[in-house]
């Protein structure tokens, strides 16, 4: 997420399409809508401790711990963990990963009317909000983010399944030099709008059950993308998509697969006033130039929030195919 000549830091601006429908499409509806993404990956992570049930705290569990075994048996879901606790007799042996180290803890589960509990809230996978890049009205498929969703260790999250939800932006933390900004949003767990099918280094892909309305634009090939004026579409308040002016400052080789094919600078006074530039949650904002969909915002340069990187749309579509 920041300044170009010095690569002092980058922040990601934050799901299988086996048919050729998306990559073969000649035009797509550009997005800009905020969307909730929930990716499950057969891991259990402690989100926080339950102050009313002390067993987890007493055992030494901490937020961020990844629980892998109970009494020697592997557990990959919250339901499997509950079943393991029900089979226990007074105490349980917990094996977990903390900062890439394996630890073994002993816990005495709290006895509740709903059975034994460890006094922890669990997170299965990763949940957050991002921006839709494109939607194919012929197939219902879509792409978002322009980069991968990574696990706690920084590696590509091995998604087993995922769901897309309605979401909205509640507030904006403005970006400043050295301090990345962020769109503060929330998803509605009671309003699923599609499924996630692939998490890749070029984006998250899936299929929507509710169509995105809008005019389809032709897809630009990399050689058609030029330095100069362009626009992006994104949501920085509620669920309203707006279009803002940017400038493509530099074009990089198209064979780069790290989501850094273009250097993009925000020039729109309104967006700069609202966000300070590119902020987390804007990943996936579609970039439009000359009436064509050319790519998506992916990163912000940490020391210059007005500037960041974008991925070619062709690279996203290749990853989705």
């Amino acid at each position: 997420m920041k300044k170009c000549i010095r690569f002092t830091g980058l922040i990601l601006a934050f799901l299988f399409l086996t048919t050729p429908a998306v990559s073969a499409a000649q035009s797509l509806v550009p997005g800009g809508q905020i969307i909730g993404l929930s990716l499950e990956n057969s891991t259990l992570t402690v989100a926080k401790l339950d102050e009313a049930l002390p067993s987890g705290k007493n055992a030494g569990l901490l937020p961020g711990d990844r629980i892998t075994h109970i009494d020697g048996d592997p557990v990959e879901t919250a339901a499997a963990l509950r079943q393991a606790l029900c089979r226990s007799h007074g105490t349980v042996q917990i094996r977990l990963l903390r900062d890439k180290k394996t630890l073994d803890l002993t816990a005495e589960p709290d006895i509740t009317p709903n059975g034994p509990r460890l006094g922890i809230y669990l997170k299965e996978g990763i949940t957050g909000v991002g921006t839709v890049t494109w939607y194919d009205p012929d197939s219902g498929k879509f792409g978002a983010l322009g980069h991968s969703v990574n696990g706690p260790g920084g590696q590509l999250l091995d998604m087993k399944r995922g769901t897309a939800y309605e979401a909205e932006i509640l507030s904006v933390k403005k970006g400043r030099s050295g301090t990345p900004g962020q769109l503060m949003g929330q998803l509605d767990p009671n309003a699923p709008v599609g499924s996630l099918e692939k998490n890749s280094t070029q984006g998250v892909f899936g299929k929507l059950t509710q169509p995105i309305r809008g005019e389809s634009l032709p897809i630009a090939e990399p050689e058609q993308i030029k330095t100069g004026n362009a626009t992006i579409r994104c949501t920085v308040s509620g669920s309203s998509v707006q279009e803002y002016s940017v400038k493509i400052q530099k074009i990089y080789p198209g064979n780069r697969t790290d989501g850094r094919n273009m250097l993009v600078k925000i020039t729109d006074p309104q967006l700069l006033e609202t966000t300070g530039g590119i902020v987390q949650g804007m990943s996936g904002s579609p970039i439009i130039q000359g009436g064509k969909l050319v790519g998506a915002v992916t990163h912000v340069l940490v020391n210059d929030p007005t500037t960041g990187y974008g991925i070619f749309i062709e690279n996203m579509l290749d990853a989705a195919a």
Side-chain angles (χ1 to χ4, degrees), residues 161-221:
R161 54 193 170 273
T163 306
Y165 295 93
E166 289 185 0
E168 63 178 342
I169 300 301
L170 304 179
S171 62
V172 177
K173 175 186 174 183
K174 196 170 181 178
R176 293 177 174 83
S177 179
T179 305
Q182 185 176 2
L183 299 178
M184 313 300 289
Q186 71 176 15
L187 60 79
D188 184 349
N190 298 313
V193 294
S195 61
L196 306 181
E197 301 173 346
K198 186 176 186 179
N199 177 33
S200 79
T201 54
Q202 288 78 42
V204 175
F205 308 103
K207 191 169 186 177
L208 296 178
T209 55
Q210 299 182 15
I212 291 178
R213 307 295 182 185
E215 179 184 356
S216 294
L217 295 181
I219 297 164
E221 297 179 3

Side-chain angles (χ1 to χ4, degrees), residues 15 79 103 117 161 191 224 253 275 289:
L15 316 143
L103 299 177
R117 294 290 185 266
R161 54 193 170 273
Q224 296 175 315
T275 66
Q289 185 182 61

Side-chain angles (χ1 to χ4, degrees), residues 4-21:
C4 161
I5 312 290
R6 308 177 180 173
F7 299 106
T8 48
L10 287 170
I11 301 293
L12 297 178
F14 182 46
L15 316 143
F16 233 117
L17 317 182
T18 54
T19 69

Side-chain angles (χ1 to χ4, degrees), residues 32-34 131 169 183 233-242 282:
Q33 295 79 5
I34 202 73
T131 301
I169 300 301
L183 299 178
R233 293 183 183 179
C234 59
T235 303
V236 297
S237 178
S239 56
S240 176
V241 179
Q242 300 292 330
M282 284 172 60

Side-chain angles (χ1 to χ4, degrees), residues 1-13 174-181 228 232 245-252 259-268 271-272 275-280 282-283 287 296-311:
M1 302 174 117
K2 290 207 173 192
K3 193 170 182 179
C4 161
I5 312 290
R6 308 177 180 173
F7 299 106
T8 48
L10 287 170
I11 301 293
L12 297 178
K174 196 170 181 178
R176 293 177 174 83
S177 179
T179 305
I232 64 170
S245 60
V246 302
K247 182 169 287 186
I248 299 175
Q249 294 187 311
K250 190 171 183 178
I251 306 293
Y252 298 99
R260 303 173 199 172
N261 302 130
M262 298 174 276
L263 189 69
V264 179
K265 186 176 183 66
I266 304 297
T267 57
D268 193 285
L271 187 58
L272 290 171
T275 66
I278 300 170
V279 297
Q280 296 178 68
M282 284 172 60
S283 291
I287 304 171
V297 172
T298 56
H299 301 74
V300 61
L301 296 173
V302 177
N303 289 331
D304 179 7
T306 68
T307 307
Y309 289 104
I311 185 174

